[in-house]
Amino acid sequence: MNYKKKLIEVSLPLEAINRESAREKSIRHGHPSTLHLYWARRPLATARAILFAQLVNDPSSDPDKFPTIELQDRERIRLHKLIDELVNWDNLNNTALFDQALQEILDSNGGELPRVLDPFAGGGSIPIEAQRLGLLSSASDLNPLAVVLNKSLLEFPARFAGSRPVFPGLAENQSSWAKTEGLAADISQYGRALRDLTASQLGVHYPEISIGGSTNAKVIAWIWARTVQSPNPANPIMVPLVRSWWLSKKKGSEAYIVPTLENGELKFRVNRDANGPRPEEDGTIGRQGGFAIGDGTPISLDYVRKEGIAGRLGRVLMAIVAEGPNGRLYLDPSEEQSSAATVERPISVPSGSIPSNTRDFRPPLYGLTEWSDLFSDRQISTLVALSDNLKTIRHQVISDARLSGAPEGKSLEEGGNGASAYGDAIAVYLALAIGRTTDYGNALNSWSSTRETVRNLFARQAIPMVWDYAESNPFSSSTGNFVGQVDWVSKAVMNAPTRNEGVVSQANASTRDYRGFVISTDPPYYDNIGYADLSDFFYVWLRRSLQDVLPNTLNTILTPKTDELVADSTRHGSKVAAEMFFVDGFNSVFTKIRAQADHSAPITIYYAYKQQEEDASGKSSTGWHTLLSGLIASGWEITATWPVRSEMSNRMISNGANVLASSIVLSCRPRNENAEATTRRGFLSALKNELPGALRELMQGAIAPVDLAQAAIGPGISVFSRYSRVRENDGTDMSVKEALLLINAALDDVLNEQESDFDPVTRFAVKWYKQYGWNDEASGIADQLARSSDTSIAVLERGGIFSAKAGKAHLISASKLADSTGWDPLNDESLSIWECTVRLAGIMATKGADSVSQLLPAVESRVGLDPVKELGFLLFYEAEKKGDTKDAILFNGLVSAWGDLTMRAHRDLNEPKVNEQFLFNLEEQEDGDQ
Ligand SMILES: C[S@@+](CC[C@H](N)C(=O)[O-])C[C@H]1O[C@@H](n2cnc3c(N)ncnc32)[C@H](O)[C@@H]1O
């Protein structure tokens, strides 16, 4: 090894990263993801932590500064604490903290600012975090939608940082405009101007509704159902296709639609009580088909498809949602409201066909084959008007910018920052707001009766067929309105980092240049998500609105597909051909990166786990093997594998099958050109040598037991991938799959070897637990096992952990141990590590962290804390092997909170007793803040 190890190659505070990544999901305002939809974004907290740990040295790389293991451990803890603070969303504006982080990175890189590139940038999580850390951030993607999003986050905010707004009269409202405040304020104001202009042309098609007397209310949404002629020739009425009649399930304001047939004519009224349909009688259509209202004639989906393809599906207005003085009003449909929606369809609608991949795109099966078919006439007229009016607004911005003194300058795409570029930038952001409006303003948006809002189209990475849909009013001030979308965009811009302007380009990762870049990336994987196909939904609108503004980025009619790394069998002819295309393409990208990139730091690669890839043991997957084999074949040594998740760990293990992390981050180094080959035996002996130390570091770090097996693949596969080849006894090359099995077995050995360091009582209890858990067994067996462990049943019983009565014996369970009050480790004459670990795990589960941390100082003084934690790891591991989820959660709960518990314990010790009450209150407040 002739490079300095980086922190990511040794340890990471995974618990903090996972916690903040999970928390991020509930953060809405100002999160960059609110700029516009993109599929499967990585959490920012993860991206930030990974970049930092990828760029700072591990203390073992600086033996002059940290000559002993203790000093290195201490320094790692300091770096972990810094990461802990960095990942916290509340610290985003803590300039001193980010300055410190940048300084640490500079110190580890000889004072040079690293240039970081993500060649598969997507929604931009990784490059935006590189920029937030103050690095020189570059992003590229094949997909022009991704390119526009990255430019809007990385380039334009930094370029216009500090500018005063140009909207007439706005600049005077504030004495100074820091960062993106001016840009965000202009987006907001010109967005309103765009809305007003469009409303003045088309507002008449969105009439208010009378709610009694002379009072009118604004309509929030019109609830439509598609209709089909009943296949019953004796009664061929148009019947509604409805998934659910419910409008509101909110307690106290329930409402639902009631259909009636009057003289063969279908009518709807809204009932406002809680007696709506039960789930089994709700709606008229589901996955298995539907039925006709009135005579119950069955309607197959096949029939609906045929009618749809023949252009014979209709629609009918079923209900209206309006803005009432005290919340939503649910009203009967009316002829006036229904006919207001009849507008002439514009000619200049965006063109383009929906892909023929029926796994992800269902509407074409029903005759909706063009992107523009997904909108009603009224919706598409308004979108076309917004898109056309954008040009007027852009000219207005340019003229206002000139008036405020800005020079004309080059265009935005040419790198300008004058009046012309500013007008372009505002147009880009408003086009993104129009994009957001298409997501909430199409004829596939269902109405959520629990949240009383319009659901956006892309709840998943696919477009389903929707029968009854809510047409939102873009000019209301409620769900799905246009100005609301503008404000989401403006808030995302407000929070965009502005330290250095990033560099964003459209490029194929297989052919682009990597020289001078450190790489962190989240490549596409197999056929998980068809980004290009999905993006066309938005792209056709983006191009329509911005073709003059970003002519180079938006130069193709649809998003490029041929070079997209996705194993799409419809595109490549067969499953095998699709897979080959993907694997070859993927490997060639990483071969190129190996040949060209800056290797002063490892590269980091995110691998998204697909749950169905798991085998029966839940630990392995063919996709995972292919990825590792591909990287090794392209000349990489894998130096770490970190399981990261954006769900809370206990919830995940309790799901049983979902034990795996949502993704794994790998760090890789180019393998030495002259790497030696070795034999199976050589590999095993290197594993034996290196794994114990690496595991010790992993367990010392803040890692939960549930993550240990996956994290341990890192140091194991690092040994494997360091060799040019590992020869099996029969002369063939060892497969990655075999190597992973051996690594797993070695992990087992290392954990079990710890047993010999434990006291006899603990050794006995571990052996017993492995065989019988908490169950009863014959006392005779217990007696034998006790002797061979150098103890006796009497000692075990005195130790309070075992019971033997009437020929039967069992271990005392954690919950019983936790129940017994007044346990004092200082005065416990026969204390074992087993008793401490199991009691503490039980107390943690039943009484919480405070009760555990109060006991830790006494435990520390008697048996030490490390063995207690190590036994926790071992017991989790054994519980998991036995498939005992309850125990796995029990021990994971104790060990994963270890860092926090010991911190509390030491703090409690150092604080004078009189302050206890005060401390307690403080803590409560901190928790409340989160
Ligand atoms: C997993 S996504 C990245 C998501 C991103 N990390 C985020 O958090 O939003 C992968 C990206 O790779 C892009 N892509 C696919 N094939 C490509 C190619 N040949 N060259 C460049 N980008 C490609 C897709 O357009 C997609 O945006």
Side-chain angles (χ1 to χ4, degrees), residues 38 40-42 119-125 141-143 507-509 522-524 531 563-565:
Y38 204 73
R41 292 169 194 260
R42 295 278 150 237
F120 295 105
S125 302
D141 200 290
L142 189 64
N143 184 331
N508 179 356
D522 169 26
Y531 289 96
D563 294 325
E564 189 188 27
L565 271 181

Side-chain angles (χ1 to χ4, degrees), residues 8 71 116 150 214 276 295 362 415 454 506 514 568 612 749 765 773 806 854:
I8 197 164
L71 287 175
V116 176
N150 278 279
S214 58
D295 60 15
R362 307 298 288 172
V454 174
Q506 185 181 17
Y514 290 99
D568 181 340
Q612 61 263 44
D749 288 348
Q854 278 161 17

Side-chain angles (χ1 to χ4, degrees), residues 374-623:
L374 303 184
F375 302 89
S376 73
D377 293 347
R378 178 163 61 180
Q379 285 173 324
I380 207 155
S381 305
T382 305
L383 287 167
V384 161
L386 282 167
S387 169
D388 287 345
N389 290 336
L390 189 60
K391 293 185 181 50
T392 312
I393 297 294
R394 176 174 150 235
H395 289 303
Q396 197 180 318
V397 181
I398 295 175
S399 125
D400 291 341
R402 280 192 207 122
L403 283 177
S404 75
E408 190 63 42
K410 291 190 205 161
S411 74
L412 185 70
E413 209 178 38
E414 288 166 342
N417 63 358
S420 185
Y422 196 68
D424 291 349
I426 298 288
V428 170
Y429 290 114
L430 295 184
L432 294 178
I434 296 175
R436 287 188 56 108
T437 308
T438 58
D439 190 20
Y440 285 89
N442 59 70
L444 297 169
N445 297 126
S446 53
W447 179 256
S448 162
S449 55
T450 44
R451 296 173 57 202
E452 297 190 87
T453 52
V454 174
R455 284 200 191 94
N456 72 322
L457 173 60
F458 287 105
R460 291 187 301 123
Q461 298 124 7
I463 300 190
M465 185 60 189
V466 173
W467 306 114
D468 46 312
Y469 64 91
E471 182 185 4
S472 53
N473 180 354
F475 306 121
S476 82
S477 47
S478 296
T479 175
N481 82 86
F482 178 65
V483 161
Q485 309 304 343
V486 169
D487 286 341
W488 283 114
V489 172
S490 154
K491 275 181 205 145
V493 169
M494 190 81 176
N495 263 0
T498 52
R499 222 186 252 254
N500 304 307
E501 185 174 333
V503 179
V504 180
S505 58
Q506 185 181 17
N508 179 356
S510 305
T511 51
R512 67 151 296 144
D513 193 2
Y514 290 99
R515 278 171 298 183
F517 292 111
V518 170
I519 308 295
S520 180
T521 194
D522 169 26
Y525 220 73
Y526 274 93
D527 63 343
N528 279 13
I529 302 173
Y531 289 96
D533 282 345
L534 291 164
S535 297
D536 279 340
F537 173 85
F538 294 112
Y539 181 76
V540 292
W541 287 103
L542 204 60
R543 185 163 194 267
R544 192 186 186 289
S545 306
L546 296 177
Q547 211 175 343
D548 305 341
V549 176
L550 301 172
N552 296 328
T553 312
L554 305 174
N555 70 351
T556 52
I557 292 177
L558 292 171
T559 60
K561 314 276 184 318
T562 325
D563 294 325
E564 189 188 27
L565 271 181
V566 61
D568 181 340
S569 13
T570 30
R571 216 178 270 168
H572 296 282
S574 72
K575 211 168 173 259
V576 175
E579 233 172 86
M580 215 153 82
F581 168 83
F582 176 80
V583 172
D584 287 354
F586 189 95
N587 292 352
S588 81
V589 169
F590 286 94
T591 305
K592 189 145 198 250
I593 293 178
R594 188 192 179 289
Q596 293 188 335
D598 167 0
H599 297 306
S600 57
I603 65 166
T604 50
I605 306 171
Y606 292 64
Y607 168 75
Y609 248 116
K610 237 175 118 178
Q611 297 295 329
Q612 61 263 44
E613 285 176 6
E614 294 157 29
D615 67 12
S617 71
K619 285 220 173 71
S620 185
S621 75
T622 40

